[in-house]
Short mmCIF file of all heavy atoms in Angstrom, two decimals:
data_model
loop_
_atom_site.label_atom_id
_atom_site.label_comp_id
_atom_site.label_asym_id
_atom_site.label_seq_id
_atom_site.Cartn_x
_atom_site.Cartn_y
_atom_site.Cartn_z
N THR C 219 16.08 21.11 -1.82
CA THR C 219 15.63 20.01 -2.67
C THR C 219 16.50 18.77 -2.50
O THR C 219 16.01 17.68 -2.25
CB THR C 219 15.65 20.46 -4.14
OG1 THR C 219 14.98 21.69 -4.25
CG2 THR C 219 14.95 19.44 -5.02
N LEU C 220 17.79 18.95 -2.63
CA LEU C 220 18.70 17.82 -2.62
C LEU C 220 18.66 17.03 -1.30
O LEU C 220 18.53 15.81 -1.32
CB LEU C 220 20.13 18.29 -2.93
CG LEU C 220 20.98 17.32 -3.75
CD1 LEU C 220 20.26 16.89 -5.01
CD2 LEU C 220 22.31 17.97 -4.09
N PRO C 221 18.73 17.72 -0.15
CA PRO C 221 18.64 16.96 1.10
C PRO C 221 17.35 16.15 1.22
O PRO C 221 17.35 15.07 1.79
CB PRO C 221 18.70 18.05 2.18
CG PRO C 221 19.40 19.17 1.54
CD PRO C 221 19.01 19.14 0.10
N ASN C 222 16.26 16.67 0.66
CA ASN C 222 14.98 15.96 0.74
C ASN C 222 14.98 14.65 -0.04
O ASN C 222 14.22 13.75 0.25
CB ASN C 222 13.85 16.84 0.19
CG ASN C 222 13.31 17.78 1.25
OD1 ASN C 222 13.51 17.55 2.44
ND2 ASN C 222 12.64 18.82 0.81
N VAL C 223 15.77 14.61 -1.11
CA VAL C 223 15.68 13.45 -2.00
C VAL C 223 16.98 12.64 -2.00
O VAL C 223 17.15 11.76 -2.84
CB VAL C 223 15.34 13.85 -3.45
CG1 VAL C 223 13.99 14.56 -3.49
CG2 VAL C 223 16.41 14.72 -4.06
N LYS C 224 17.89 12.91 -1.06
CA LYS C 224 19.24 12.33 -1.19
C LYS C 224 19.23 10.80 -1.18
O LYS C 224 19.97 10.18 -1.91
CB LYS C 224 20.19 12.89 -0.14
CG LYS C 224 19.79 12.67 1.30
CD LYS C 224 20.90 13.20 2.22
CE LYS C 224 20.60 12.96 3.67
NZ LYS C 224 19.66 13.91 4.26
N TRP C 225 18.35 10.19 -0.37
CA TRP C 225 18.37 8.73 -0.29
C TRP C 225 17.81 8.10 -1.56
O TRP C 225 18.33 7.10 -2.04
CB TRP C 225 17.63 8.24 0.94
CG TRP C 225 18.28 8.74 2.19
CD1 TRP C 225 17.74 9.59 3.12
CD2 TRP C 225 19.62 8.46 2.63
NE1 TRP C 225 18.66 9.84 4.11
CE2 TRP C 225 19.82 9.17 3.84
CE3 TRP C 225 20.67 7.70 2.12
CZ2 TRP C 225 21.01 9.13 4.55
CZ3 TRP C 225 21.86 7.66 2.83
CH2 TRP C 225 22.02 8.37 4.02
N ALA C 226 16.76 8.69 -2.09
CA ALA C 226 16.22 8.19 -3.34
C ALA C 226 17.25 8.36 -4.46
O ALA C 226 17.41 7.49 -5.33
CB ALA C 226 14.93 8.93 -3.69
N LEU C 227 17.97 9.47 -4.41
CA LEU C 227 18.99 9.74 -5.41
C LEU C 227 20.10 8.69 -5.33
O LEU C 227 20.52 8.11 -6.34
CB LEU C 227 19.55 11.14 -5.18
CG LEU C 227 20.46 11.69 -6.28
CD1 LEU C 227 19.65 11.98 -7.52
CD2 LEU C 227 21.16 12.95 -5.82
N LEU C 228 20.54 8.42 -4.10
CA LEU C 228 21.60 7.43 -3.90
C LEU C 228 21.14 6.06 -4.41
O LEU C 228 21.89 5.34 -5.08
CB LEU C 228 21.94 7.34 -2.40
CG LEU C 228 22.92 6.23 -2.00
CD1 LEU C 228 24.25 6.41 -2.71
CD2 LEU C 228 23.13 6.22 -0.49
N TYR C 229 19.90 5.74 -4.11
CA TYR C 229 19.34 4.47 -4.52
C TYR C 229 19.30 4.37 -6.05
O TYR C 229 19.69 3.35 -6.64
CB TYR C 229 17.95 4.35 -3.91
CG TYR C 229 17.21 3.11 -4.23
CD1 TYR C 229 17.88 1.91 -4.42
CD2 TYR C 229 15.82 3.12 -4.32
CE1 TYR C 229 17.18 0.76 -4.70
CE2 TYR C 229 15.12 1.98 -4.60
CZ TYR C 229 15.80 0.80 -4.79
OH TYR C 229 15.11 -0.33 -5.07
N GLY C 230 18.86 5.45 -6.70
CA GLY C 230 18.83 5.49 -8.16
C GLY C 230 20.22 5.33 -8.75
O GLY C 230 20.42 4.59 -9.72
N VAL C 231 21.20 6.00 -8.15
CA VAL C 231 22.58 5.92 -8.64
C VAL C 231 23.09 4.48 -8.52
O VAL C 231 23.73 3.95 -9.43
CB VAL C 231 23.49 6.91 -7.87
CG1 VAL C 231 24.95 6.61 -8.15
CG2 VAL C 231 23.16 8.34 -8.27
N LEU C 232 22.80 3.84 -7.40
CA LEU C 232 23.24 2.46 -7.18
C LEU C 232 22.67 1.53 -8.24
O LEU C 232 23.37 0.71 -8.83
CB LEU C 232 22.79 1.98 -5.80
CG LEU C 232 23.64 2.44 -4.64
CD1 LEU C 232 22.98 2.06 -3.33
CD2 LEU C 232 25.01 1.77 -4.73
N LEU C 233 21.35 1.65 -8.46
CA LEU C 233 20.70 0.79 -9.45
C LEU C 233 21.29 1.04 -10.84
O LEU C 233 21.58 0.11 -11.59
CB LEU C 233 19.20 1.08 -9.50
CG LEU C 233 18.33 0.42 -8.45
CD1 LEU C 233 16.89 0.88 -8.64
CD2 LEU C 233 18.41 -1.08 -8.56
N CYS C 234 21.45 2.31 -11.15
CA CYS C 234 21.97 2.71 -12.45
C CYS C 234 23.38 2.13 -12.63
O CYS C 234 23.72 1.59 -13.68
CB CYS C 234 21.98 4.24 -12.52
SG CYS C 234 22.49 4.89 -14.10
N ASN C 235 24.18 2.23 -11.57
CA ASN C 235 25.55 1.74 -11.63
C ASN C 235 25.59 0.22 -11.81
O ASN C 235 26.35 -0.29 -12.64
CB ASN C 235 26.28 2.15 -10.35
CG ASN C 235 27.71 1.66 -10.35
OD1 ASN C 235 28.48 2.02 -11.24
ND2 ASN C 235 28.06 0.81 -9.42
N ALA C 236 24.77 -0.49 -11.03
CA ALA C 236 24.76 -1.95 -11.13
C ALA C 236 24.39 -2.37 -12.54
O ALA C 236 25.00 -3.27 -13.13
CB ALA C 236 23.77 -2.53 -10.12
N ARG C 237 23.40 -1.70 -13.10
CA ARG C 237 22.95 -2.05 -14.43
C ARG C 237 24.01 -1.66 -15.48
O ARG C 237 24.24 -2.39 -16.44
CB ARG C 237 21.62 -1.36 -14.70
CG ARG C 237 20.91 -1.79 -15.94
CD ARG C 237 20.49 -3.25 -15.85
NE ARG C 237 20.08 -3.71 -17.17
CZ ARG C 237 18.86 -3.57 -17.64
NH1 ARG C 237 17.92 -3.04 -16.91
NH2 ARG C 237 18.57 -3.98 -18.87
N ALA C 238 24.67 -0.50 -15.27
CA ALA C 238 25.67 -0.03 -16.23
C ALA C 238 26.86 -1.00 -16.29
O ALA C 238 27.36 -1.31 -17.36
CB ALA C 238 26.15 1.37 -15.84
N MET C 239 27.29 -1.47 -15.11
CA MET C 239 28.43 -2.37 -15.09
C MET C 239 28.06 -3.76 -15.61
O MET C 239 28.92 -4.49 -16.10
CB MET C 239 28.97 -2.49 -13.66
CG MET C 239 29.63 -1.22 -13.18
SD MET C 239 30.54 -1.53 -11.68
CE MET C 239 31.43 0.01 -11.52
N GLY C 240 26.78 -4.10 -15.49
CA GLY C 240 26.39 -5.46 -15.84
C GLY C 240 25.76 -5.59 -17.21
O GLY C 240 25.45 -6.70 -17.64
N GLU C 241 25.55 -4.48 -17.94
CA GLU C 241 24.81 -4.57 -19.19
C GLU C 241 25.54 -5.47 -20.20
O GLU C 241 26.74 -5.36 -20.40
CB GLU C 241 24.58 -3.17 -19.78
CG GLU C 241 23.85 -3.17 -21.10
CD GLU C 241 22.59 -4.05 -21.10
OE1 GLU C 241 21.91 -4.11 -20.07
OE2 GLU C 241 22.31 -4.69 -22.12
N PHE C 242 24.77 -6.33 -20.80
CA PHE C 242 25.37 -7.32 -21.68
C PHE C 242 24.87 -7.22 -23.12
O PHE C 242 25.64 -6.97 -24.04
CB PHE C 242 25.09 -8.72 -21.11
CG PHE C 242 25.60 -9.84 -21.95
CD1 PHE C 242 26.96 -10.04 -22.11
CD2 PHE C 242 24.72 -10.71 -22.59
CE1 PHE C 242 27.43 -11.09 -22.88
CE2 PHE C 242 25.19 -11.75 -23.37
CZ PHE C 242 26.55 -11.94 -23.51
N GLY C 243 23.56 -7.35 -23.31
CA GLY C 243 23.00 -7.44 -24.66
C GLY C 243 23.34 -6.25 -25.54
O GLY C 243 23.89 -6.40 -26.63
N ALA C 244 23.03 -5.05 -25.05
CA ALA C 244 23.23 -3.85 -25.87
C ALA C 244 24.71 -3.65 -26.17
O ALA C 244 25.10 -3.35 -27.31
CB ALA C 244 22.66 -2.63 -25.13
N VAL C 245 25.55 -3.83 -25.13
CA VAL C 245 26.97 -3.64 -25.28
C VAL C 245 27.55 -4.69 -26.23
O VAL C 245 28.41 -4.40 -27.06
CB VAL C 245 27.65 -3.67 -23.90
CG1 VAL C 245 29.15 -3.69 -24.03
CG2 VAL C 245 27.20 -2.47 -23.06
N SER C 246 27.03 -5.90 -26.12
CA SER C 246 27.51 -6.98 -26.96
C SER C 246 27.32 -6.64 -28.44
O SER C 246 28.20 -6.90 -29.27
CB SER C 246 26.75 -8.26 -26.60
OG SER C 246 26.99 -9.26 -27.55
N VAL C 247 26.20 -6.04 -28.77
CA VAL C 247 25.91 -5.72 -30.16
C VAL C 247 26.85 -4.64 -30.71
O VAL C 247 27.31 -4.73 -31.84
CB VAL C 247 24.43 -5.29 -30.31
CG1 VAL C 247 24.17 -4.72 -31.70
CG2 VAL C 247 23.51 -6.46 -30.03
N VAL C 248 27.17 -3.62 -29.88
CA VAL C 248 27.96 -2.50 -30.41
C VAL C 248 29.47 -2.67 -30.20
O VAL C 248 30.25 -1.88 -30.72
CB VAL C 248 27.54 -1.15 -29.78
CG1 VAL C 248 26.11 -0.82 -30.15
CG2 VAL C 248 27.71 -1.18 -28.27
N SER C 249 29.88 -3.69 -29.42
CA SER C 249 31.29 -3.71 -29.03
C SER C 249 32.22 -4.31 -30.07
O SER C 249 33.36 -3.88 -30.22
CB SER C 249 31.46 -4.46 -27.73
OG SER C 249 31.61 -5.84 -27.99
N GLY C 250 31.77 -5.34 -30.77
CA GLY C 250 32.67 -6.01 -31.69
C GLY C 250 33.61 -6.97 -31.00
O GLY C 250 34.44 -7.61 -31.64
N HIS C 251 33.50 -7.10 -29.68
CA HIS C 251 34.27 -8.09 -28.91
C HIS C 251 35.76 -8.04 -29.22
O HIS C 251 36.38 -9.04 -29.50
CB HIS C 251 33.77 -9.52 -29.18
CG HIS C 251 32.32 -9.69 -28.89
ND1 HIS C 251 31.85 -10.05 -27.65
CD2 HIS C 251 31.23 -9.51 -29.67
CE1 HIS C 251 30.53 -10.10 -27.70
NE2 HIS C 251 30.13 -9.79 -28.91
N ILE C 252 36.34 -6.86 -29.17
CA ILE C 252 37.77 -6.78 -29.42
C ILE C 252 38.48 -6.89 -28.07
O ILE C 252 38.36 -6.03 -27.22
CB ILE C 252 38.13 -5.45 -30.12
CG1 ILE C 252 37.28 -5.31 -31.39
CG2 ILE C 252 39.63 -5.42 -30.44
CD1 ILE C 252 37.24 -3.90 -31.93
N ARG C 253 39.17 -8.01 -27.88
CA ARG C 253 39.78 -8.31 -26.58
C ARG C 253 40.76 -7.22 -26.18
O ARG C 253 41.56 -6.76 -26.99
CB ARG C 253 40.51 -9.64 -26.66
CG ARG C 253 40.30 -10.48 -25.41
CD ARG C 253 41.09 -11.73 -25.57
NE ARG C 253 40.18 -12.84 -25.79
CZ ARG C 253 40.24 -13.97 -25.07
NH1 ARG C 253 41.18 -14.12 -24.17
NH2 ARG C 253 39.41 -14.94 -25.30
N GLY C 254 40.70 -6.82 -24.94
CA GLY C 254 41.62 -5.82 -24.43
C GLY C 254 41.27 -4.41 -24.89
O GLY C 254 41.92 -3.45 -24.51
N TYR C 255 40.24 -4.28 -25.73
CA TYR C 255 39.93 -2.95 -26.23
C TYR C 255 38.46 -2.61 -26.03
O TYR C 255 38.13 -1.56 -25.49
CB TYR C 255 40.33 -2.85 -27.70
CG TYR C 255 40.06 -1.48 -28.29
CD1 TYR C 255 40.60 -0.33 -27.68
CD2 TYR C 255 39.30 -1.33 -29.44
CE1 TYR C 255 40.34 0.92 -28.20
CE2 TYR C 255 39.05 -0.07 -29.96
CZ TYR C 255 39.57 1.05 -29.35
OH TYR C 255 39.32 2.28 -29.86
N THR C 256 37.55 -3.50 -26.46
CA THR C 256 36.13 -3.20 -26.31
C THR C 256 35.41 -4.27 -25.52
O THR C 256 34.21 -4.45 -25.66
CB THR C 256 35.43 -3.04 -27.67
OG1 THR C 256 35.54 -4.29 -28.36
CG2 THR C 256 36.03 -1.94 -28.49
N ASN C 257 36.12 -4.97 -24.67
CA ASN C 257 35.45 -5.98 -23.85
C ASN C 257 35.19 -5.47 -22.45
O ASN C 257 36.11 -5.15 -21.72
CB ASN C 257 36.34 -7.23 -23.75
CG ASN C 257 35.83 -8.33 -24.64
OD1 ASN C 257 34.74 -8.22 -25.20
ND2 ASN C 257 36.60 -9.38 -24.77
#
Side-chain angles (χ1 to χ4, degrees):
Chain C
T219 310
L220 215 53
N222 275 341
V223 300
K224 59 176 183 281
W225 298 116
L227 190 69
L228 173 60
Y229 180 32
V231 167
L232 280 172
L233 278 178
C234 184
N235 179 60
R237 189 65 192 274
M239 291 192 170
E241 179 48 36
F242 177 68
V245 171
S246 169
V247 170
V248 296
S249 87
H251 303 271
I252 305 163
R253 221 182 252 231
Y255 181 55
T256 62
N257 256 351

